[in-house]
Amino acid sequence: MEPDDTWTSLRRHCEALEPGAELLTPVSERPFGIERTDDDRLVVRFGDSGETRPLWREQFVVFLERLDEGAVPIEGLQPGVEPYASVLTLAPAYTADNDAVRYDPDATGGESPFLVSAAAARDPPERVHDDARLLAAVLERIDADEPAALDTEALTDLYVLASDTQHGADRLRRSARDPLLERLGPDQRLHGRYGTVRRTTRERQRPKDEATIFEALDDHGIPREWVTGIDRDKLDVVLAVTDLEEDDVYDVDEDVFVQKVGVDEDEKYTRLQGLADRIDDLADAEGEELRAELDAIEDRLEEALSAG
């Protein structure tokens, strides 16, 4: 299919998506929706962060050219490229499986494997809750300490549910990060019922443009061929063995984030005991089931505390 035809088809399919429908990125499984379509771009919004990002028409053309040469492996997709792959599979001639995105001119069209219907696009907290309950149910009936001894179905369920719970919990954690940062001073710690957090700062390096780096090398009498191509590993070696300064060749940004520094297992245990006391007031079968579940959790907590 010609690039212009593919672009027209993609815009049409994006505009036809039901309200609330989302796509998932193939590797990181980040949900995003189509905010609007323009002549030269699609604008998407990520559900886990609220971030908006343009997906440019010319970048889709680059992706199409790669597909003309063969399949594009999914595992090698960079984060910035993942949304392009997901959107591209809305067009009938482009398909994907667990391994790769492919061009198939004979494909009759089908639903994109990365498309999530509005009904299935639950809020992140609801997803975490449901996935965690399912994972807990699986862990109650299998021996996760010996995964090699599990049958294939149980091992697959354990892997899938653990992965879903992890991704959902990470998204939920990130949604709590910015409000926490607004309340955390530089040297302050905040204490919750179950743990403590503090504000932590780290720096990330980005190479400056090539001309600036070469000028810095020339000023210090360093041969350009030592870092030809601005290979970061080579550049870091040069920084370590010469008087070249880091800010001569790197733009340094600070990344502020929330770091967990403690967990209060005693408080967890006390809280669970309080819930058990409240459940004692229930006389029906539901109360008995909840008591049994809490007893099992308390046993595991006691073992963890006694081993600490």
Side-chain angles (χ1 to χ4, degrees), residues 14 70 75 88 112 126 147 151 174 185 211 223 225 263 273:
C14 287
E75 66 177 11
L88 194 57
S112 166
E126 185 180 0
D151 62 65
R174 287 193 294 268
E225 58 267 23
V263 176
Q273 283 186 317

Side-chain angles (χ1 to χ4, degrees), residues 195-214:
T196 303
V197 297
R198 71 179 180 188
R199 188 185 186 97
T200 301
T201 300
R202 65 185 177 195
E203 294 183 341
R204 289 185 176 177
Q205 299 172 325
R206 292 183 294 109
K208 293 187 176 182
D209 63 272
E210 190 172 286
T212 300
I213 293 176
F214 282 151

